[in-house]
Amino acid sequence: MTAGLSFLLLLAIGAPISFVLIGVALILIVAGGNAVLLDSFPQQLFAGIESYGLLALPLFILLGELMGAGGIGRRLLALAEAMMVPVRAGLAYVNLLANLMMAAVLGSTVAQLTVMSRLAVPEMERAGYPRDLATTVTAAGGLLAPVIPPSMNLIVYATVAQVPVADVFVAGIVPGLAMAAVFALIIAWLGWKHNLPRVPSQPARQRLRAAWRALPALVVPLVVVGSILTGVATPTESAAIASLAAVLIGMFVYRELCLADLPQVFVRTAVTSGAVLFLVAAAQIIGWVVTFAGLPAQAANWMQEVASSPLAFLILLNILLLLLGTVLEPIPAIILVAPVLLPVATDVYGIDPVTFGVILCLNLTLGLLTPPVGAGLYTASLLTGVSAERLSRLLVPFFAGVIAILAGMTVIAALNAG
Protein backbone atom coordinates (compact mmCIF):
# COMPACT_ATOMS: atom_id res chain seq x y z
CA MET A 1 0.00 0.00 0.00
CA THR A 2 2.81 2.43 0.94
CA ALA A 3 4.65 1.71 -2.33
CA GLY A 4 1.46 2.19 -4.34
CA LEU A 5 0.70 5.54 -2.73
CA SER A 6 4.30 6.64 -3.21
CA PHE A 7 4.13 5.66 -6.87
CA LEU A 8 0.98 7.73 -7.44
CA LEU A 9 2.36 10.67 -5.45
CA LEU A 10 5.63 10.76 -7.39
CA LEU A 11 3.74 10.59 -10.68
CA ALA A 12 1.39 13.38 -9.54
CA ILE A 13 4.25 15.77 -8.78
CA GLY A 14 5.77 15.13 -12.20
CA ALA A 15 8.86 13.16 -11.18
CA PRO A 16 10.62 11.42 -14.10
CA ILE A 17 9.33 7.88 -14.44
CA SER A 18 12.84 6.43 -14.00
CA PHE A 19 13.20 8.07 -10.58
CA VAL A 20 9.66 7.02 -9.70
CA LEU A 21 10.55 3.37 -10.33
CA ILE A 22 13.81 3.56 -8.37
CA GLY A 23 12.09 5.35 -5.49
CA VAL A 24 9.32 2.76 -5.30
CA ALA A 25 11.90 -0.06 -5.39
CA LEU A 26 13.74 1.48 -2.43
CA ILE A 27 10.47 1.89 -0.52
CA LEU A 28 9.57 -1.76 -1.18
CA ILE A 29 12.98 -2.87 0.11
CA VAL A 30 12.75 -0.82 3.30
CA ALA A 31 9.07 -1.63 3.93
CA GLY A 32 9.74 -5.33 3.45
CA GLY A 33 12.62 -5.31 5.92
CA ASN A 34 15.05 -6.52 3.24
CA ALA A 35 17.74 -3.91 3.85
CA VAL A 36 20.37 -6.45 2.76
CA LEU A 37 19.22 -5.83 -0.82
CA LEU A 38 20.57 -2.29 -0.62
CA ASP A 39 24.11 -3.67 -0.74
CA SER A 40 23.59 -5.08 -4.23
CA PHE A 41 21.29 -2.29 -5.45
CA PRO A 42 23.92 -0.53 -7.63
CA GLN A 43 25.04 -3.82 -9.19
CA GLN A 44 21.45 -4.76 -10.00
CA LEU A 45 20.83 -1.33 -11.52
CA PHE A 46 23.75 -1.87 -13.88
CA ALA A 47 22.74 -5.48 -14.54
CA GLY A 48 19.43 -4.21 -15.91
CA ILE A 49 21.18 -2.96 -19.05
CA GLU A 50 24.04 -5.47 -19.20
CA SER A 51 22.59 -7.30 -22.19
CA TYR A 52 23.82 -7.66 -25.74
CA GLY A 53 20.23 -7.54 -27.03
CA LEU A 54 19.72 -4.06 -25.59
CA LEU A 55 22.62 -2.77 -27.68
CA ALA A 56 20.12 -2.72 -30.55
CA LEU A 57 18.21 0.14 -28.90
CA PRO A 58 20.80 2.93 -29.29
CA LEU A 59 21.70 1.62 -32.74
CA PHE A 60 18.10 1.87 -33.97
CA ILE A 61 17.78 5.32 -32.38
CA LEU A 62 20.93 6.31 -34.29
CA LEU A 63 19.41 4.87 -37.47
CA GLY A 64 16.30 7.02 -37.03
CA GLU A 65 18.38 10.16 -36.56
CA LEU A 66 20.47 9.37 -39.64
CA MET A 67 17.36 8.75 -41.74
CA GLY A 68 15.96 12.13 -40.81
CA ALA A 69 19.21 14.00 -41.34
CA GLY A 70 20.12 12.23 -44.59
CA GLY A 71 16.82 12.69 -46.45
CA ILE A 72 15.94 8.99 -46.46
CA GLY A 73 12.64 9.48 -44.66
CA ARG A 74 11.55 12.18 -47.11
CA ARG A 75 12.25 9.91 -50.09
CA LEU A 76 10.23 7.09 -48.56
CA LEU A 77 7.30 9.47 -48.06
CA ALA A 78 7.54 10.65 -51.68
CA LEU A 79 7.58 7.02 -52.85
CA ALA A 80 4.46 6.24 -50.83
CA GLU A 81 2.72 9.23 -52.41
CA ALA A 82 3.73 8.14 -55.92
CA MET A 83 2.35 4.64 -55.33
CA MET A 84 -1.08 5.92 -54.28
CA VAL A 85 -3.99 5.88 -56.73
CA PRO A 86 -6.32 8.96 -56.84
CA VAL A 87 -8.78 8.03 -54.07
CA ARG A 88 -10.47 10.11 -51.40
CA ALA A 89 -8.18 10.75 -48.41
CA GLY A 90 -5.28 9.64 -50.58
CA LEU A 91 -2.65 11.55 -48.59
CA ALA A 92 -3.88 9.89 -45.40
CA TYR A 93 -3.20 6.50 -47.03
CA VAL A 94 0.19 7.82 -48.12
CA ASN A 95 0.85 8.78 -44.50
CA LEU A 96 -0.10 5.28 -43.34
CA LEU A 97 2.04 3.59 -45.99
CA ALA A 98 5.02 5.80 -45.14
CA ASN A 99 4.52 5.00 -41.44
CA LEU A 100 4.55 1.30 -42.31
CA MET A 101 7.86 1.75 -44.14
CA MET A 102 9.29 3.77 -41.25
CA ALA A 103 8.14 1.19 -38.71
CA ALA A 104 10.16 -1.46 -40.55
CA VAL A 105 13.27 0.64 -39.92
CA LEU A 106 12.96 2.73 -36.76
CA GLY A 107 11.14 0.56 -34.21
CA SER A 108 10.39 3.58 -32.01
CA THR A 109 7.09 5.47 -31.91
CA VAL A 110 8.69 8.69 -30.67
CA ALA A 111 11.39 8.62 -33.36
CA GLN A 112 8.82 7.78 -36.02
CA LEU A 113 6.41 10.52 -34.93
CA THR A 114 9.25 13.04 -34.87
CA VAL A 115 10.10 12.29 -38.51
CA MET A 116 6.52 11.94 -39.78
CA SER A 117 5.13 14.98 -37.98
CA ARG A 118 7.74 17.15 -39.67
CA LEU A 119 7.26 15.59 -43.10
CA ALA A 120 3.64 14.48 -43.49
CA VAL A 121 1.53 16.90 -41.44
CA PRO A 122 2.61 20.10 -43.27
CA GLU A 123 2.12 18.35 -46.62
CA MET A 124 -1.39 17.24 -45.66
CA GLU A 125 -2.25 20.74 -44.44
CA ARG A 126 -1.20 22.22 -47.77
CA ALA A 127 -3.47 19.71 -49.50
CA GLY A 128 -6.49 20.87 -47.48
CA TYR A 129 -6.55 18.51 -44.49
CA PRO A 130 -7.39 19.94 -41.06
CA ARG A 131 -4.27 19.94 -38.93
CA ASP A 132 -5.87 17.96 -36.10
CA LEU A 133 -6.98 15.21 -38.49
CA ALA A 134 -3.60 15.08 -40.22
CA THR A 135 -1.90 14.80 -36.84
CA THR A 136 -4.32 12.07 -35.76
CA VAL A 137 -3.53 9.89 -38.78
CA THR A 138 0.19 10.47 -38.23
CA ALA A 139 -0.03 9.58 -34.53
CA ALA A 140 -2.07 6.45 -35.27
CA GLY A 141 0.54 5.35 -37.80
CA GLY A 142 3.12 5.65 -35.04
CA LEU A 143 1.40 2.74 -33.28
CA LEU A 144 2.87 0.43 -35.92
CA ALA A 145 6.45 1.03 -34.74
CA PRO A 146 6.23 -0.99 -31.49
CA VAL A 147 4.79 -4.02 -33.32
CA ILE A 148 6.41 -4.14 -36.76
CA PRO A 149 10.00 -5.44 -36.52
CA PRO A 150 12.52 -4.15 -35.47
CA SER A 151 10.40 -2.96 -32.55
CA MET A 152 12.29 -1.78 -29.48
CA ASN A 153 9.51 -3.18 -27.29
CA LEU A 154 9.91 -6.62 -28.86
CA ILE A 155 13.68 -6.44 -28.34
CA VAL A 156 13.24 -5.58 -24.66
CA TYR A 157 10.68 -8.36 -24.16
CA ALA A 158 12.90 -10.94 -25.86
CA THR A 159 15.79 -9.87 -23.63
CA VAL A 160 13.74 -10.12 -20.43
CA ALA A 161 11.96 -13.36 -21.39
CA GLN A 162 15.11 -15.01 -22.75
CA VAL A 163 13.47 -15.95 -26.07
CA PRO A 164 15.04 -15.50 -29.52
CA VAL A 165 14.60 -11.95 -30.81
CA ALA A 166 14.12 -13.22 -34.37
CA ASP A 167 11.15 -15.41 -33.27
CA VAL A 168 9.43 -12.46 -31.61
CA PHE A 169 10.10 -10.29 -34.68
CA VAL A 170 8.51 -12.82 -37.01
CA ALA A 171 5.50 -13.14 -34.69
CA GLY A 172 4.98 -9.37 -34.79
CA ILE A 173 4.68 -9.11 -38.58
CA VAL A 174 1.10 -10.38 -39.01
CA PRO A 175 -0.43 -8.30 -36.15
CA GLY A 176 1.40 -5.24 -37.47
CA LEU A 177 0.06 -5.73 -41.00
CA ALA A 178 -3.42 -6.38 -39.57
CA MET A 179 -3.22 -3.05 -37.72
CA ALA A 180 -2.25 -1.29 -40.96
CA ALA A 181 -5.23 -2.88 -42.76
CA VAL A 182 -7.68 -1.86 -40.02
CA PHE A 183 -6.26 1.67 -39.99
CA ALA A 184 -6.79 1.85 -43.77
CA LEU A 185 -10.48 1.03 -43.26
CA ILE A 186 -10.76 3.73 -40.60
CA ILE A 187 -9.12 6.24 -42.95
CA ALA A 188 -11.68 5.33 -45.62
CA TRP A 189 -14.45 6.10 -43.13
CA LEU A 190 -12.80 9.39 -42.12
CA GLY A 191 -12.43 10.34 -45.79
CA TRP A 192 -16.15 9.85 -46.36
CA LYS A 193 -17.15 11.57 -43.10
CA HIS A 194 -14.96 14.68 -43.55
CA ASN A 195 -14.98 14.76 -47.37
CA LEU A 196 -11.20 14.69 -47.46
CA PRO A 197 -9.47 15.62 -50.74
CA ARG A 198 -8.27 13.10 -53.29
CA VAL A 199 -4.57 12.73 -54.00
CA PRO A 200 -3.80 14.05 -57.49
CA SER A 201 -3.02 11.45 -60.12
CA GLN A 202 0.64 11.34 -61.10
CA PRO A 203 1.83 10.44 -64.60
CA ALA A 204 3.77 7.23 -65.01
CA ARG A 205 7.02 9.11 -65.62
CA GLN A 206 6.68 10.97 -62.31
CA ARG A 207 5.95 7.72 -60.47
CA LEU A 208 9.03 6.10 -61.96
CA ARG A 209 11.13 9.13 -61.02
CA ALA A 210 9.95 8.93 -57.39
CA ALA A 211 10.66 5.20 -57.29
CA TRP A 212 14.14 5.76 -58.77
CA ARG A 213 14.95 8.46 -56.22
CA ALA A 214 13.71 6.30 -53.34
CA LEU A 215 15.58 3.19 -54.49
CA PRO A 216 18.66 3.91 -52.35
CA ALA A 217 16.40 4.72 -49.36
CA LEU A 218 14.75 1.29 -49.68
CA VAL A 219 18.12 -0.31 -49.06
CA VAL A 220 17.84 0.61 -45.37
CA PRO A 221 14.60 -1.29 -44.53
CA LEU A 222 15.68 -4.17 -46.77
CA VAL A 223 18.96 -4.46 -44.86
CA VAL A 224 17.17 -4.46 -41.49
CA VAL A 225 14.35 -6.87 -42.27
CA GLY A 226 16.20 -9.06 -44.77
CA SER A 227 19.30 -9.65 -42.65
CA ILE A 228 17.20 -10.60 -39.62
CA LEU A 229 14.73 -12.90 -41.38
CA THR A 230 17.46 -14.70 -43.34
CA GLY A 231 19.62 -15.14 -40.26
CA VAL A 232 22.57 -13.30 -41.80
CA ALA A 233 22.71 -10.85 -38.88
CA THR A 234 21.26 -10.43 -35.42
CA PRO A 235 18.95 -7.43 -34.80
CA THR A 236 21.88 -5.60 -33.18
CA GLU A 237 24.17 -6.29 -36.13
CA SER A 238 21.46 -5.36 -38.64
CA ALA A 239 20.97 -2.00 -36.91
CA ALA A 240 24.70 -1.30 -37.14
CA ILE A 241 24.83 -2.29 -40.82
CA ALA A 242 21.73 -0.22 -41.63
CA SER A 243 23.19 2.80 -39.80
CA LEU A 244 26.34 2.54 -41.89
CA ALA A 245 24.21 2.25 -45.03
CA ALA A 246 22.20 5.34 -43.96
CA VAL A 247 25.43 7.33 -43.53
CA LEU A 248 26.74 6.33 -46.95
CA ILE A 249 23.40 6.98 -48.67
CA GLY A 250 22.90 10.32 -46.92
CA MET A 251 26.43 11.49 -47.72
CA PHE A 252 27.20 10.14 -51.17
CA VAL A 253 23.83 9.48 -52.80
CA TYR A 254 21.44 12.17 -51.53
CA ARG A 255 24.25 14.45 -50.29
CA GLU A 256 22.09 15.89 -47.51
CA LEU A 257 24.33 14.57 -44.73
CA CYS A 258 27.85 15.84 -44.14
CA LEU A 259 30.54 15.18 -41.56
CA ALA A 260 29.64 18.38 -39.71
CA ASP A 261 26.13 17.00 -39.06
CA LEU A 262 27.34 13.79 -37.41
CA PRO A 263 28.29 15.24 -33.99
CA GLN A 264 24.76 16.61 -33.51
CA VAL A 265 23.29 13.29 -34.66
CA PHE A 266 25.46 11.40 -32.17
CA VAL A 267 24.60 13.79 -29.33
CA ARG A 268 20.85 13.43 -29.93
CA THR A 269 21.28 9.67 -30.13
CA ALA A 270 23.27 9.58 -26.89
CA VAL A 271 20.74 11.70 -25.00
CA THR A 272 17.77 9.63 -26.17
CA SER A 273 19.59 6.32 -25.62
CA GLY A 274 20.70 7.35 -22.14
CA ALA A 275 17.14 8.20 -21.14
CA VAL A 276 15.74 4.95 -22.53
CA LEU A 277 18.43 2.69 -21.07
CA PHE A 278 18.25 4.34 -17.66
CA LEU A 279 14.51 3.71 -17.79
CA VAL A 280 15.17 0.05 -18.57
CA ALA A 281 17.63 -0.21 -15.68
CA ALA A 282 15.19 1.43 -13.26
CA ALA A 283 12.35 -0.85 -14.31
CA GLN A 284 14.59 -3.90 -14.00
CA ILE A 285 15.18 -2.96 -10.36
CA ILE A 286 11.44 -3.15 -9.71
CA GLY A 287 11.32 -6.58 -11.33
CA TRP A 288 14.22 -7.74 -9.18
CA VAL A 289 12.59 -6.53 -5.95
CA VAL A 290 9.21 -7.99 -6.90
CA THR A 291 10.76 -11.35 -7.75
CA PHE A 292 12.70 -11.43 -4.46
CA ALA A 293 9.47 -10.74 -2.59
CA GLY A 294 7.86 -13.81 -4.15
CA LEU A 295 5.12 -11.94 -5.97
CA PRO A 296 5.25 -14.22 -9.06
CA ALA A 297 4.19 -17.17 -6.91
CA GLN A 298 1.42 -15.10 -5.31
CA ALA A 299 0.28 -13.93 -8.73
CA ALA A 300 0.22 -17.53 -9.97
CA ASN A 301 -1.92 -18.61 -7.03
CA TRP A 302 -4.32 -15.69 -7.48
CA MET A 303 -4.60 -16.26 -11.23
CA GLN A 304 -5.37 -19.94 -10.72
CA GLU A 305 -8.11 -19.05 -8.27
CA VAL A 306 -9.69 -16.39 -10.48
CA ALA A 307 -8.95 -17.62 -14.01
CA SER A 308 -10.03 -21.17 -14.72
CA SER A 309 -8.84 -21.20 -18.35
CA PRO A 310 -6.16 -19.64 -20.59
CA LEU A 311 -8.81 -17.35 -22.11
CA ALA A 312 -9.87 -16.03 -18.70
CA PHE A 313 -6.23 -15.45 -17.78
CA LEU A 314 -5.54 -13.55 -21.01
CA ILE A 315 -8.65 -11.40 -20.57
CA LEU A 316 -7.51 -10.44 -17.06
CA LEU A 317 -4.02 -9.81 -18.42
CA ASN A 318 -5.30 -7.48 -21.13
CA ILE A 319 -7.39 -5.48 -18.66
CA LEU A 320 -4.38 -5.14 -16.37
CA LEU A 321 -2.13 -4.05 -19.23
CA LEU A 322 -4.62 -1.48 -20.53
CA LEU A 323 -4.71 0.11 -17.08
CA LEU A 324 -0.95 -0.12 -16.61
CA GLY A 325 -0.29 1.41 -20.02
CA THR A 326 -2.03 4.64 -19.02
CA VAL A 327 0.59 5.39 -16.35
CA LEU A 328 3.74 3.58 -17.53
CA GLU A 329 5.80 3.68 -20.71
CA PRO A 330 5.81 0.34 -22.59
CA ILE A 331 9.46 -0.53 -21.92
CA PRO A 332 9.31 -0.30 -18.10
CA ALA A 333 5.86 -1.90 -18.14
CA ILE A 334 7.21 -4.85 -20.14
CA ILE A 335 10.11 -5.27 -17.73
CA LEU A 336 7.73 -5.08 -14.78
CA VAL A 337 5.08 -7.46 -16.09
CA ALA A 338 7.06 -10.07 -18.03
CA PRO A 339 9.12 -11.51 -15.11
CA VAL A 340 6.00 -11.71 -12.93
CA LEU A 341 3.35 -13.05 -15.30
CA LEU A 342 5.30 -14.91 -17.99
CA PRO A 343 6.00 -17.90 -15.70
CA VAL A 344 2.29 -18.00 -14.85
CA ALA A 345 1.30 -17.87 -18.51
CA THR A 346 3.70 -20.60 -19.63
CA ASP A 347 3.80 -22.96 -16.64
CA VAL A 348 0.19 -22.75 -15.46
CA TYR A 349 -1.76 -22.08 -18.67
CA GLY A 350 0.60 -23.36 -21.36
CA ILE A 351 0.65 -20.13 -23.36
CA ASP A 352 3.47 -19.77 -25.87
CA PRO A 353 6.01 -17.20 -24.57
CA VAL A 354 6.45 -15.61 -28.02
CA THR A 355 2.69 -15.14 -28.44
CA PHE A 356 2.47 -13.82 -24.88
CA GLY A 357 5.15 -11.25 -25.71
CA VAL A 358 3.40 -10.00 -28.85
CA ILE A 359 0.11 -9.61 -26.95
CA LEU A 360 1.97 -7.80 -24.18
CA CYS A 361 3.69 -5.38 -26.58
CA LEU A 362 0.58 -4.79 -28.72
CA ASN A 363 -1.53 -3.98 -25.66
CA LEU A 364 1.01 -1.63 -24.12
CA THR A 365 1.37 0.12 -27.48
CA LEU A 366 -1.95 1.84 -26.79
CA GLY A 367 -0.39 3.51 -23.75
CA LEU A 368 1.91 5.49 -26.05
CA LEU A 369 -1.07 7.59 -27.15
CA THR A 370 -3.10 7.73 -23.95
CA PRO A 371 -2.75 10.27 -21.13
CA PRO A 372 -1.33 10.90 -18.62
CA VAL A 373 2.05 9.43 -19.64
CA GLY A 374 1.72 8.74 -23.39
CA ALA A 375 5.05 9.84 -24.89
CA GLY A 376 3.78 9.50 -28.45
CA LEU A 377 0.70 11.57 -27.73
CA TYR A 378 2.65 14.47 -26.26
CA THR A 379 5.35 14.25 -28.94
CA ALA A 380 2.74 14.61 -31.70
CA SER A 381 1.01 17.41 -29.79
CA LEU A 382 4.27 19.29 -29.22
CA LEU A 383 5.43 19.04 -32.83
CA THR A 384 2.11 20.01 -34.45
CA GLY A 385 0.45 22.31 -31.90
CA VAL A 386 -2.71 20.17 -31.66
CA SER A 387 -3.82 19.70 -28.04
CA ALA A 388 -3.34 16.28 -26.48
CA GLU A 389 -7.01 16.27 -25.38
CA ARG A 390 -8.19 16.82 -28.97
CA LEU A 391 -5.88 14.10 -30.27
CA SER A 392 -7.08 11.64 -27.64
CA ARG A 393 -10.69 12.05 -28.79
CA LEU A 394 -9.87 11.75 -32.49
CA LEU A 395 -7.78 8.62 -31.90
CA VAL A 396 -10.69 6.64 -30.40
CA PRO A 397 -11.57 4.78 -33.68
CA PHE A 398 -7.95 3.71 -34.08
CA PHE A 399 -7.86 2.51 -30.46
CA ALA A 400 -11.00 0.46 -31.10
CA GLY A 401 -9.33 -1.13 -34.13
CA VAL A 402 -6.26 -2.15 -32.12
CA ILE A 403 -8.44 -3.60 -29.35
CA ALA A 404 -10.33 -5.67 -31.95
CA ILE A 405 -7.04 -7.12 -33.23
CA LEU A 406 -5.93 -7.72 -29.65
CA ALA A 407 -9.16 -9.61 -28.93
CA GLY A 408 -8.59 -11.84 -31.96
CA MET A 409 -5.02 -12.60 -30.90
CA THR A 410 -6.21 -13.36 -27.37
CA VAL A 411 -8.74 -15.94 -28.58
CA ILE A 412 -6.21 -17.58 -30.91
CA ALA A 413 -3.57 -17.74 -28.15
CA ALA A 414 -6.08 -19.29 -25.76
CA LEU A 415 -7.11 -21.93 -28.32
CA ASN A 416 -3.45 -22.85 -28.97
CA ALA A 417 -2.54 -23.01 -25.26
CA GLY A 418 -1.86 -26.29 -23.61
Side-chain angles (χ1 to χ4, degrees), residues 335-357:
I335 299 175
L336 279 172
V337 171
V340 176
L341 293 183
L342 180 59
V344 181
T346 56
D347 299 340
V348 178
Y349 297 100
I351 297 169
D352 178 63
V354 173
T355 304
F356 177 87

Side-chain angles (χ1 to χ4, degrees), residues 405-416:
I405 294 171
L406 192 60
M409 289 187 61
T410 298
V411 172
I412 293 172
L415 292 175
N416 292 332

Side-chain angles (χ1 to χ4, degrees), residues 114-187:
T114 301
V115 174
M116 291 301 297
S117 295
R118 291 171 178 167
L119 294 176
V121 174
E123 187 70 23
M124 294 176 74
E125 271 196 288
R126 283 192 291 269
Y129 286 72
R131 177 180 290 190
D132 57 355
L133 203 57
T135 305
T136 300
V137 173
T138 302
L143 291 175
L144 298 172
V147 182
I148 295 285
S151 161
M152 291 188 184
N153 293 352
L154 294 178
I155 293 173
V156 171
Y157 171 77
T159 303
V160 173
Q162 296 297 302
V163 296
V165 175
D167 290 355
V168 183
F169 275 6
V170 171
I173 293 175
V174 173
L177 294 178
M179 284 174 61
V182 170
F183 288 178
L185 293 176
I186 295 171
I187 288 173

Side-chain angles (χ1 to χ4, degrees), residues 63-263:
L63 179 58
E65 292 287 348
L66 291 170
M67 285 183 62
I72 295 174
R74 186 156 48 82
R75 264 69 176 198
L76 291 176
L77 180 62
L79 175 62
E81 184 173 357
M83 293 171 61
M84 188 56 57
V85 297
V87 295
R88 187 170 301 284
L91 271 183
Y93 290 111
V94 169
N95 190 327
L96 179 63
L97 183 58
N99 266 302
L100 189 61
M101 293 179 182
M102 293 288 187
V105 179
L106 298 180
S108 164
T109 291
V110 174
Q112 185 167 321
L113 282 177
T114 301
V115 174
M116 291 301 297
S117 295
R118 291 171 178 167
L119 294 176
V121 174
E123 187 70 23
M124 294 176 74
E125 271 196 288
R126 283 192 291 269
Y129 286 72
R131 177 180 290 190
D132 57 355
L133 203 57
T135 305
T136 300
V137 173
T138 302
L143 291 175
L144 298 172
V147 182
I148 295 285
S151 161
M152 291 188 184
N153 293 352
L154 294 178
I155 293 173
V156 171
Y157 171 77
T159 303
V160 173
Q162 296 297 302
V163 296
V165 175
D167 290 355
V168 183
F169 275 6
V170 171
I173 293 175
V174 173
L177 294 178
M179 284 174 61
V182 170
F183 288 178
L185 293 176
I186 295 171
I187 288 173
W189 172 73
L190 290 173
W192 169 80
K193 180 180 179 182
H194 297 280
N195 194 28
L196 297 176
R198 296 175 181 269
V199 66
S201 179
Q202 296 187 18
R205 179 176 295 181
Q206 191 170 345
R207 293 174 185 266
L208 289 174
R209 187 182 298 116
W212 176 254
R213 289 174 177 172
L215 197 58
L218 289 173
V219 170
V220 177
L222 288 176
V223 165
V224 174
V225 178
S227 62
I228 293 172
L229 294 183
T230 58
V232 173
T234 65
T236 301
E237 293 165 348
S238 71
I241 297 170
S243 296
L244 177 60
V247 170
L248 296 176
I249 292 169
M251 282 187 171
F252 302 110
V253 179
Y254 295 139
R255 298 185 178 181
E256 294 187 16
L257 184 68
C258 60
L259 287 175
D261 298 325
L262 292 181

